[in-house]
Each structure stands twice: as C-alpha cells, then as structure tokens.
Amino acid sequence: MIAPKKVLVTGGAGCIGSHTVVELLKAGYQPIIVDNFANSKRGILDRLAAICREEIPVFECDCRDFAEMVHVFEKVGELFAVIHFAAFKAVGESVAKPAEYYDNNIGSLARLMMLMANFGQPGLVFSSSCTVYGQPKTLPVTEDSPIQPASSPYGYTKQVCEQLINDSVVAERGLRAVTLRYFNPIG
C-alpha cells in the first residue's frame, strides 16, 4: 500500500486549521499539525481524534522557533505541501499590539519559507485575508481588485506575507504557492 502524502498544517488546532485537517484526511492525505495553542485549545485534538477515528500527529511548537521547526521538518520527512494558518488574526488587537503582529505573522512565515527552501518542500497554501484590499475604491471586491494601503497592522502583515511568498516563488523556482483571501470565515 502506498503511504498517503503528508501535509503540514500550521495552526492546525485552530478553527479553520482543524476543519482542514478533517478534510485532508477524508481526501486521503496525512495531515500533521503544528500549533503553539496561542489561538486554539488542546481539547480540539481529542475532538479531531474522535471525528477522524485516529490520532493526528501533533507538534506543539511556535513556527517562529527555527530550531524546533527544523526538528519538525527532520522528523516528518518529505511533505506534499504546507498549509500555513498560524497567525494572529484580530484587526482591533493588531492596532493595540502592532509589534506582536509583525513578529508573529511575518516572522513565522519568513522562517517557514526558509525551512521549506532548506528542505526542498515545494508546495505552500497561505491563509491570507480580504484585508489586503484595504479600503477598496469600488465594490464588489474581486481577485482583480487593486491592493490598497492596509487599514490595520493585521492587514499590512498579510500584504507583506503575500509579497514574501511572491518573492520566494521567483527566487525558489520549484516553489508553488497559493494564497486564500477570506472575507468572512465563520466557525
């Protein structure tokens, strides 16, 4: 029997991440969770095990901890893709704590991109946000709508992350990436 393709899901114990883990398993992939539980609860792991009828591999660590993430990449081996959901996500909080948002949201992706390049991991799905459009000049907003100046530190971190991904795709010719710009995820 052929082993399922492994997909690393950062923030995999969060709302969107945990639902993605279930769907990956249903689709025949082997999800592997990385989460520091800053925006999630450990109890979700028991719920995932019950829903999936199996234990999902979990690494409790922060994506900004380069040494710990090296250990994760070494331990899991070849990946089919990385899905990056690990980020702070509240617009209002980002206004009150901009440095924390810059460090967490941009720093975690930057380290992840370095690790993916070092370990030759070619596929990335990035959880972005409609906030990258800023205050649009026309509605409705489509994928072709121009990016406007961000209206919050959170939105700006997503813009910077998208630019980092674009630059990395150019530099790492084998890297494939897609960004998801949610409008209203409801959990």
Side-chain angles (χ1 to χ4, degrees), residues 125-154:
V125 176
F126 177 67
S127 182
S128 191
S129 169
C130 68
T131 61
V132 300
Y133 296 111
Q135 294 297 321
K137 295 184 190 294
T138 60
L139 295 175
V141 173
T142 69
E143 288 184 15
D144 296 322
S145 295
I147 302 298
Q148 301 295 329
S151 56
S152 70
Y154 168 75

Side-chain angles (χ1 to χ4, degrees), residues 81-100:
V82 174
I83 304 177
H84 186 51
F85 293 119
F88 292 157
K89 60 186 191 269
V91 171
E93 182 181 65
S94 77
V95 174
K97 301 176 181 179
E100 290 179 31

Side-chain angles (χ1 to χ4, degrees), residues 108-131:
S108 64
L109 179 65
R111 286 170 191 84
L112 191 59
M113 299 300 294
M114 287 186 284
L115 285 160
M116 289 177 66
N118 291 347
F119 284 86
Q121 306 298 350
L124 174 69
V125 176
F126 177 67
S127 182
S128 191
S129 169
C130 68
T131 61

Side-chain angles (χ1 to χ4, degrees), residues 29-154:
Y29 294 93
Q30 172 59 65
I32 300 160
I33 296 172
V34 171
D35 206 305
N36 68 358
F37 299 97
N39 278 326
S40 58
K41 294 182 170 61
R42 285 176 184 77
I44 196 67
L45 301 177
D46 295 331
R47 294 178 70 192
L48 279 172
I51 291 167
C52 297
R53 296 190 173 103
E54 67 179 80
E55 296 288 326
I56 306 298
V58 177
F59 292 89
E60 185 175 345
C61 67
D62 190 310
C63 292
R64 293 172 293 173
D65 186 332
F66 194 80
E68 198 58 35
M69 289 299 291
V70 165
H71 170 74
V72 170
F73 273 75
E74 288 173 345
K75 183 95 171 159
V76 301
E78 184 177 349
L79 294 167
F80 177 70
V82 174
I83 304 177
H84 186 51
F85 293 119
F88 292 157
K89 60 186 191 269
V91 171
E93 182 181 65
S94 77
V95 174
K97 301 176 181 179
E100 290 179 31
Y101 270 70
Y102 281 72
D103 179 49
N104 187 70
N105 293 4
I106 298 169
S108 64
L109 179 65
R111 286 170 191 84
L112 191 59
M113 299 300 294
M114 287 186 284
L115 285 160
M116 289 177 66
N118 291 347
F119 284 86
Q121 306 298 350
L124 174 69
V125 176
F126 177 67
S127 182
S128 191
S129 169
C130 68
T131 61
V132 300
Y133 296 111
Q135 294 297 321
K137 295 184 190 294
T138 60
L139 295 175
V141 173
T142 69
E143 288 184 15
D144 296 322
S145 295
I147 302 298
Q148 301 295 329
S151 56
S152 70
Y154 168 75

Side-chain angles (χ1 to χ4, degrees), residues 167-178:
D167 293 342
S168 296
V169 166
V170 170
E172 304 289 332
R173 303 241 184 256
L175 177 65
R176 297 178 322 274
V178 63

